[in-house]
Amino acid sequence: MWLLSVIIVVVPIIYGMSSCGWSIQAFVMPSHSPPKIDFHVESSGLRFEDKQLLPVFRVTNLGEVRIVFESLNATVYGPDGEALAPAILYKPVVSQPNSTEALILKVGFDEATFRKLPSYFEGRERVDFEVKGVASIHVFASKVTAPLSISFEVSLTDIIKMVG
Amino acid sequence: MKLTKTLLLNHKVNLIGLASSLLLFYTALSNRAWWVVRGGSGGEYTFLADVSPFNIVLEVLGKPVTIPIIPYLCLAARLSILLAATTIFVGSLLAGKTWSKPMMSLNGLVLPIIFIFVLYTGLSLAKLYIGVSIPMYGESTLNYLVSYRGSGVVTETPVTASLTEEYWIAFVAGTLSALARIVHSKPAPQER
């Protein structure tokens, strides 16, 4: 009886190995094609609200899964590398595959930093500011914490509008 | 002795054996999972696994994970339990024959025990080599570091795992088969 049990266990495995060309590696190697997860962020303008700068970005979902940008914990840096103000996500953004959504940040400048901004424009019409921090993103049912580094351009006209 | 006589229907039929063989037939022919794990909640899962010795379903990020050896291992396990169920069934109907004793197989009990052992080993190896910590039972949070565009990205996934009713039915079937074998071994009283 035990011999029959052994045969019944061994025969399917031998048959399976033969169908894999007797390659143990091919027989036991897992295969998985994960969905593409990728997105692209680029600056698309500025908005102003209550002396707050709202840089607007365009986020394009180049992947196959839905991505939810839930929050952002970042700092805005000036052209001289000095930390100027904190930046947070204005509101969560749901990005479906093959779609483009607006991602808006909220940058809270204090009075001192506000007064310093025009100094960056000496001899220049436009200046790049960099946002560096950590984004909290939802992909499938997982919370993903990823570093984020994006930049946006501000013109002297924008500063004048903000000062108002 | 009186109990044995009752359970063996006066040493003609092994009732416990019949019951265990029917449960083993059900177990072997069922595709339901013995152990389930879900990474995520609310109907959306980062990963999921429905595992039994007869059928294994693995999905990560909504796409299946295939391992060529798995269907053949599942077939071997299913045939093994079907053979055990058949021999126990036939042996139970012929309880009065001395040569029916070897037919009372213990494979039905061995499989659930091996299943737990293999599961525990597999999860331990996953923790050791892939850094993925998944509980065998209960809830936990899986923290995993992946590389994305040269940066480290931390993922946090709620995980729940549990043994299902199907496992316990298989375990009961196996236990009954062991009891049937013990009862089957009791000799019939000498006729006066």
Side-chain angles (χ1 to χ4, degrees):
Chain A
M1 202 59 64
W2 67 266
L3 184 62
L4 188 56
S5 296
V6 168
I7 291 170
I8 261 182
V9 169
V10 167
V11 165
I13 294 170
I14 290 176
Y15 177 76
M17 274 206 68
S18 72
S19 65
C20 277
W22 301 104
S23 163
I24 293 176
Q25 191 180 7
F27 199 38
V28 301
M29 191 62 68
S31 70
H32 178 245
S33 300
K36 186 181 172 191
I37 300 175
D38 195 13
F39 59 91
H40 176 68
V41 181
E42 58 181 352
S43 177
S44 75
L46 290 171
R47 279 169 42 184
F48 306 95
E49 194 176 280
D50 297 330
K51 278 201 173 175
Q52 286 185 322
L53 192 65
L54 302 177
V56 181
F57 297 88
R58 224 178 358 244
V59 59
T60 304
N61 190 338
L62 303 169
E64 299 167 5
V65 301
R66 187 179 77 136
I67 300 174
V68 180
F69 294 86
E70 287 200 331
S71 65
L72 179 72
N73 186 5
T75 304
V76 175
Y77 294 85
D80 56 358
E82 188 181 331
L84 297 176
I88 58 171
L89 201 59
Y90 187 66
K91 61 176 181 180
V93 176
V94 177
S95 178
Q96 301 289 352
N98 298 316
S99 74
T100 301
E101 304 290 336
L103 186 140
I104 306 171
L105 301 187
K106 203 173 187 180
V107 183
F109 290 111
D110 58 24
E111 279 297 324
T113 312
F114 221 64
R115 279 195 292 272
K116 192 183 172 183
L117 285 179
S119 67
Y120 287 122
F121 290 86
E122 283 172 12
R124 287 190 280 191
E125 268 295 313
R126 316 185 83 81
V127 167
D128 278 334
F129 291 86
E130 198 164 0
V131 181
K132 281 185 189 173
V134 171
S136 185
I137 301 167
H138 245 89
V139 179
F140 272 92
S142 292
K143 182 181 165 186
V144 179
T145 307
L148 189 71
S149 178
I150 46 180
S151 62
F152 61 93
E153 198 176 67
V154 179
S155 69
L156 194 54
T157 318
D158 295 326
I159 296 296
I160 294 166
K161 272 189 204 168
M162 199 160 71
V163 171
Chain B
M1 286 303 270
K2 207 172 174 186
L3 178 64
T4 309
K5 200 174 169 183
T6 308
L7 290 170
L8 289 176
L9 283 186
N10 206 24
H11 298 278
K12 296 238 186 314
V13 175
N14 189 328
L15 289 177
I16 299 180
L18 282 181
S20 91
S21 67
L22 291 175
L23 275 178
L24 285 173
F25 274 122
Y26 165 77
T27 300
L29 296 173
S30 168
N31 275 336
R32 291 186 182 178
W34 286 16
W35 180 76
V36 294
V37 64
R38 297 284 183 267
S41 59
E44 199 178 38
Y45 300 112
T46 304
F47 63 87
L48 65 87
D50 291 342
V51 182
S52 84
F54 318 117
N55 189 31
I56 297 176
V57 174
L58 294 170
E59 267 186 30
V60 176
L61 297 177
K63 297 285 177 86
V65 176
T66 55
I67 307 172
I69 193 175
I70 294 292
Y72 300 101
L73 285 177
C74 292
L75 178 61
R78 198 187 295 269
L79 289 175
S80 173
I81 297 302
L82 283 173
L83 176 66
T86 304
T87 58
I88 292 171
F89 185 78
V90 173
S92 298
L93 290 176
L94 300 169
K97 308 290 179 191
T98 50
W99 46 262
S100 66
K101 186 183 160 189
M103 299 178 86
M104 306 306 286
S105 169
L106 285 178
N107 283 354
L109 180 62
V110 167
L111 189 62
I113 295 170
I114 289 178
F115 178 79
I116 291 295
F117 176 74
V118 169
L119 187 63
Y120 177 79
T121 305
L123 293 175
S124 301
L125 289 174
K127 187 176 179 180
L128 194 64
Y129 290 105
I130 314 172
V132 170
S133 179
I134 295 175
M136 205 157 92
Y137 191 90
E139 297 179 357
S140 75
T141 301
L142 175 64
N143 294 310
Y144 192 64
L145 182 68
V146 293
S147 181
Y148 179 73
R149 290 183 181 171
S151 299
V153 172
V154 177
T155 67
E156 199 177 295
T157 310
V159 180
T160 54
S162 62
L163 288 168
T164 65
E165 271 179 5
E166 290 296 310
Y167 173 78
W168 296 111
I169 291 171
F171 188 78
V172 165
T175 307
L176 284 177
S177 70
L179 286 173
R181 187 181 169 101
I182 294 169
V183 166
H184 210 90
S185 303
K186 300 282 184 205
Q190 295 294 321
E191 300 279 81
R192 291 191 185 183

